[in-house]
């Protein structure tokens, strides 16, 4: 479906789209734009320029639509879940083969895009996941990775010690090493997508968007913190951890945002043992992290203890949080135990009740799409999920098995 058929389908109000745009509506809205000095109208307005919204907007634009992308603080900003330095591409998902397949697709696409844009966004570090026993979950991961054709090496304790002497492998019995996985630059990746979107003719506005006029079960426009309104036949709210703030009724109990801590420990002078490409991504003892990339330090990501508000949480580590990070490093990477903390970041996950992504229409506003629920693993998928969302919005065919998985579930967080 191209732009013309998208708008015709929308105008006719038939098919899977059932969108409200008519030429009369567009003309009336355009008239209103002129009358109020409001922002230009669009075919689709995407709110949120994180990993999910940025890619959705770019794909929609590349499909030929007039797209306006709006973000309250900017692409990959310091409050967004997609902000910060880096994100891991891991491929192992126990019983969710669809995510492993998307990861494989994501590798290929990131490589193509970074070459196209002339930017270094993807570092092929490999990943080592360590375990004290060969659990059912690990076995299932291995089965899926084999089925999808991802190269893996199952290491026993001796292999782990020999290959990764930087790790204190006491108690470790197994490792799964996936050499083709890696690290993505997060903030920079979002900015690259926003740049590409604008170069392709998309409009990017920095403002907070709120739900505007509603009529006939449809959203007519969004109002912006700069006083403008933007109308469109279709809206995508890819606002990550802000979904419950924008849609409190629909999202009540369906998402929560735990505080996440990222600690970057310095590596000793002249010592490259913990630096890319000499050390991989790793996951062990309930935490995960990355080698030092571009001299930023050896990164440890651990979960905090509080649920937070993405607008207002303080993004400075407490003394207890630093101590927790130090204790972790001393246990697993003792060579770094006396190294200084050279940088830290505080973020939040946006957990859905089952950790699956959310891509669905608003139950009462049929031209509004809710997109989010990255649940701590969304960044790497943005490059594939964005196209999936764009196809859903355009009414194009998508894998029918995915829609029920990405639908809000009846259960709630207690
Ligand atoms: C510490 C940490 C480590 C992680 N590690 C990994 C990893 O290793 N691998 C991985 O794949 N994933 C990882 N994730 C998860 C991943 O980063 C997220 O799932 C993903 O970035 C979510 O993207 P998003 O676009 O849904 O949300 P966000 O990035 O939060 O984007 C939402 C955007 O909406 C904007 N917004 C909100 N409300 C409004 C409004 N009303 N008007 C206008 N704009 C608005 C915000 O400013 C924001 O930019 C990690 C997350 C964290 C925090």
């Amino acid at each position: 479906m191209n732009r013309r058929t998208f708008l015709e389908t929308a105008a006719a109000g038939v098919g899977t789209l059932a969108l409200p745009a008519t030429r009369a509506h567009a003309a009336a809205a355009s008239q209103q734009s002129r009358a109020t000095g409001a922002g230009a109208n669009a075919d689709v307005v995407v709110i949120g320029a994180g990993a999910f919204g940025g890619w959705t907007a770019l794909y929609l634009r590349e499909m030929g639509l007039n797209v306006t992308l709006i973000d309250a603080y900017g692409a990959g900003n310091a409050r967004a879940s997609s902000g910060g330095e880096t994100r891991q591409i891991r491929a192992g998902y126990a019983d969710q083969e669809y995510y492993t397949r998307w990861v494989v697709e994501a590798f290929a696409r990131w490589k193509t895009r970074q070459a196209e844009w002339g930017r270094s966004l993807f570092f092929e570090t490999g990943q080592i996941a360590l375990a004290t026993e060969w659990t059912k979950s690990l076995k299932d991961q291995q089965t899926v990775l084999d089925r999808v054709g991802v190269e893996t090496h199952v290491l026993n304790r001796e292999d782990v010690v020999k290959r990764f002497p930087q790790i204190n492998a006491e108690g470790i019995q197994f490792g799964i090493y996936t050499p083709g996985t890696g690290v993505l630059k997060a903030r920079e990746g979002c900015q690259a997508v926003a740049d590409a979107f604008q170069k392709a003719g998309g409009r990017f506005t920095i403002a907070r968007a709120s739900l505007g006029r509603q009529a006939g079960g449809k959203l007519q426009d969004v109002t912006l913190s700069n006083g403008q309104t933007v109308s469109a036949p279709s809206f995508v709210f890819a606002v990550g951890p802000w979904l419950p703030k924008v849609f409190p009724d629909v999202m009540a109990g369906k998402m929560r945002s735990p505080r996440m801590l990222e600690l970057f420990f310095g590596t000793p002078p002249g010592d490259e043992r913990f630096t890319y490409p000499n050390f991989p991504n790793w996951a062990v003892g309930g935490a995960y992290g990355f080698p030092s990339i571009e001299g930023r330090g050896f990164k440890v990501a651990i979960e905090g203890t509080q649920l937070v508000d993405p607008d207002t949480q303080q993004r400075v580590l407490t003394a207890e949080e630093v101590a927790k990070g130090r204790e972790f490093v001393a246990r697993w990477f003792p060579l770094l135990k006396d190294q200084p903390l050279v940088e830290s970041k505080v973020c939040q996950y946006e957990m859905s009740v089952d950790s699956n992504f959310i891509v669905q229409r608003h139950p009462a506003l049929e031209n509004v799409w809710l997109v989010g629920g990255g649940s701590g693993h969304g960044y790497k998928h943005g490059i594939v999920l964005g196209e999936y969302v764009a196809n859903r919005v355009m009414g194009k065919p998508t894998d029918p098995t995915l829609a029920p998985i990405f639908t809000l579930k009846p259960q709630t967080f207690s």
Side-chain angles (χ1 to χ4, degrees), residues 134-182:
W134 190 245
T135 58
K136 179 175 179 318
S137 163
L138 282 178
K139 186 169 174 291
D140 291 348
Q141 273 185 45
Q142 182 63 36
T143 306
V144 169
L145 288 165
D146 286 347
R147 198 157 56 221
V148 177
V150 178
E151 182 188 349
T152 60
H153 305 270
V154 177
L155 309 182
N156 61 27
R157 183 184 157 67
E158 288 68 40
D159 295 335
V160 171
V161 171
K162 206 161 125 196
R163 271 181 89 163
F164 303 108
Q166 302 95 320
I167 301 170
N168 170 16
E170 204 182 319
I172 293 299
Q173 298 302 331
F174 296 98
I176 298 186
Y177 181 57
T178 39
T181 53

Side-chain angles (χ1 to χ4, degrees), residues 52 71-72 77 81-82 87-88 209 288 347-348 350 379-380:
F52 285 5
D71 198 289
N77 67 78
S81 291
S82 308
R87 294 289 182 268
Q88 178 166 197
Y288 66 93
C347 190
Q348 68 281 315
E350 58 292 328
Y379 189 87
K380 60 188 164 292

